[in-house]
Amino acid sequence: MALRKKAAKEKAKTAAKKSARKAVKLKAVKKPAAKAAARNGLPRPSPKPWGQAGRALDGVRILDFTHVQSGPTCTQLLAYMGADVIKVERPGVGDITRGQLRDVKGADSLYFTMLNGSKRSITIDSKHPRGKKILDRLVKTCDVLVENFAPGALDRMGLTFEHIHKLNPRMIVASVKGFGPGPYEDCKVYENVAQCAGGSASTTGFRDGPPLVTAAQIGDSGTGLHLALGIVSALYQRLRTGRGQRVLCAMQDGVLNLARVKLRDQQRLQHGPLTEYSQYGEGIPFGKATPRAGNDSGGGQPGWILKCKGWEDDPDAYVYFITQAPVWGAICDLIGKPEWKTDPDFATPPARLPRLRQIFNTIEQWTLTKTKFEVMEICNKLDIPVGPILSMKELAEEPSLRATGTVVEVDHPTRGPYLTVGNPIKLSDSPADVRRSPLLGEHTDEVLRQVLGYSAPEIAEIKASGAITAPDKPAKAEAA
Ligand code: COA
């Protein structure tokens, strides 16, 4: 019996070691070279039915050193795609967001839970000598390290790119920083700082008001999405080169990328006024920089937000209405102005530009007689592009978003069920893996044992060293 136990233990140990060495590799192509070339060096198509050949990033292991929002957005998405994401957190404290904006006493906040789904959590003090050794072992077994510390923090932990690459030349090291190399590279950056520095705030809001930040987290979540693309690109290149590389996404760059149409307009300004901006029609001269344009459409088709039935009591009873040129005739008929179809002041897009306010005021007289959903239904039948202003309440309750897995309800051991945003990117052969966020250190033992191959006595010794447990007086996360 004892012998059998010993043999089983040995087997488990070998399996753990094997799994510790696991990394994404191209399967050796055994077919003749000509045939392999015809398949571009890739394996044969899987004989398994669609959706049953695993997930897109199965076999990719991520050492997740991210916190707050930008980095976690990236690693959560990779986890949804099937990567094994191991989030390293400081013992006793964890990601600062676990305790920020708390709504349920004693439970991880929604801020944390909605950005860290489908991950495992391990606590390691990265400055403890024993903790450093564990991290080195993780570096050897992972494919990607993702971090969004303040500039220099990773190096101060001893995890320089050189050190990482010496341990594991295949590792991809991906970082979010506030700014790229330049005068501000050492600055700490949060969402709204990035929105301001990336050109979004100066071009958002109304002309006669101050710059505005947007609710969509284009600085944090937007940059996290950019980083995820950088990571999968680097993984793909690694299939050919066998080596990892650095991936850097600066939040300023990410915001500017999303605000590129405003840089387009900046250049257009040198050749004359921006005719689709309503200030042009109102005769207000342009300055030297792209102005704020209120709710003007960002494209060449004029649009505006209009009141709908019930707006007096419902702050979201509005619709975005676009006067797209090909359906101008249908719009004129709909709003009871058929004569505008032939009136030279209204018949052509250039003629309409100086009269946009009058046009939208007239259309609003019609939208005020309908709910935003009625406007949507009527206009869509006529091919007129409109968008109802949907509240978060309406989105949370929208059945079609539940059906597609864009809004998902997951259960959590301390806070109960909560809603999260699932994978907005749908892959037909890779079902999304959307699970609840982990408790702080929930998988510490599991990762040490299964991934790193530590024995039970070794784990006990690591615990006693203080490398994975909270210090006597743990720093406090912000209370709710
Ligand atoms: N064990 C021990 N120490 C740990 C640890 C662990 N597991 N995890 C983190 N730490 C330490 C870091 O080493 C660092 O210590 P150091 O400054 O003494 O070297 C410290 O915790 C704090 O890290 P830092 O990133 O500076 O956090 P911060 O709260 O001071 O700053 C940000 C937060 C977001 C402003 C900053 O991280 C940043 O600018 N990040 C890049 C841009 C970004 O992603 N911003 C958007 C966030 S949504």
Side-chain angles (χ1 to χ4, degrees), residues 362-442:
T362 310
I363 299 173
E364 192 170 57
Q365 294 312 304
W366 177 77
T367 58
L368 274 167
T369 66
K370 308 272 177 285
T371 68
K372 60 188 177 188
F373 296 112
E374 286 166 351
V375 172
M376 178 85 173
E377 205 182 325
I378 295 167
C379 287
N380 271 313
K381 278 189 190 136
L382 300 170
D383 247 2
I384 301 168
V386 292
I389 308 304
L390 296 181
S391 68
M392 279 298 153
K393 184 173 185 299
E394 286 164 333
L395 289 166
E397 293 164 358
E398 172 57 41
S400 65
L401 294 176
R402 301 288 183 104
T404 57
T406 297
V407 175
V408 183
E409 184 175 293
V410 284
D411 208 356
H412 189 276
T414 54
R415 64 170 302 119
Y418 68 96
L419 286 188
T420 193
V421 181
N423 194 347
I425 304 166
K426 318 292 186 197
L427 270 65
S428 68
D429 203 15
S430 175
D433 176 23
V434 181
R435 287 173 281 128
R436 73 164 170 89
S437 62
L439 300 173
L440 178 61
E442 183 175 345

Side-chain angles (χ1 to χ4, degrees), residues 65 67-70 88-91 124-127 148-151 153 156-157 176-178 187-190 220 251:
F65 251 128
H67 65 151
V68 203
Q69 185 182 166
S70 64
V88 177
E89 297 182 82
R90 201 197 308 221
I124 305 176
D125 180 349
S126 63
K127 290 176 179 156
N148 67 310
F149 289 126
R156 288 195 289 278
M157 287 177 186
V176 169
K177 294 291 167 257
C187 299
K188 286 185 175 179
V189 171
Y190 285 102
D220 280 338
M251 294 167 74

Side-chain angles (χ1 to χ4, degrees), residues 152-175:
L154 196 68
D155 288 1
R156 288 195 289 278
M157 287 177 186
L159 288 171
T160 61
F161 185 71
E162 291 69 30
H163 175 76
I164 292 167
H165 255 214
K166 213 167 146 194
L167 295 175
N168 180 0
R170 293 172 59 78
M171 176 157 270
I172 290 151
V173 181
S175 307

Side-chain angles (χ1 to χ4, degrees), residues 118-247:
S118 305
K119 305 180 184 177
R120 300 202 261 183
S121 165
I122 175 172
T123 51
I124 305 176
D125 180 349
S126 63
K127 290 176 179 156
H128 191 287
R130 195 74 173 94
K132 283 176 188 289
K133 283 193 180 150
I134 301 168
L135 279 172
D136 280 356
R137 210 143 153 174
L138 269 170
V139 166
K140 285 182 195 162
T141 65
C142 289
D143 299 284
V144 189
L145 185 155
V146 191
E147 62 94 19
N148 67 310
F149 289 126
L154 196 68
D155 288 1
R156 288 195 289 278
M157 287 177 186
L159 288 171
T160 61
F161 185 71
E162 291 69 30
H163 175 76
I164 292 167
H165 255 214
K166 213 167 146 194
L167 295 175
N168 180 0
R170 293 172 59 78
M171 176 157 270
I172 290 151
V173 181
S175 307
V176 169
K177 294 291 167 257
F179 293 93
Y184 306 121
E185 66 185 306
D186 291 331
C187 299
K188 286 185 175 179
V189 171
Y190 285 102
E191 172 68 47
N192 289 345
V193 177
Q195 287 197 24
C196 294
S200 174
S202 69
T203 51
T204 302
F206 289 90
R207 204 170 47 244
D208 47 2
L212 270 191
V213 293
T214 70
Q217 304 285 283
I218 59 176
D220 280 338
S221 287
T223 310
L225 297 177
H226 283 90
L227 193 72
L229 177 59
I231 290 169
V232 291
S233 301
L235 280 168
Y236 191 74
Q237 188 174 8
R238 195 182 72 172
L239 292 174
R240 295 198 312 274
T241 63
R243 64 169 189 257
Q245 59 184 300
R246 267 182 271 211
V247 180

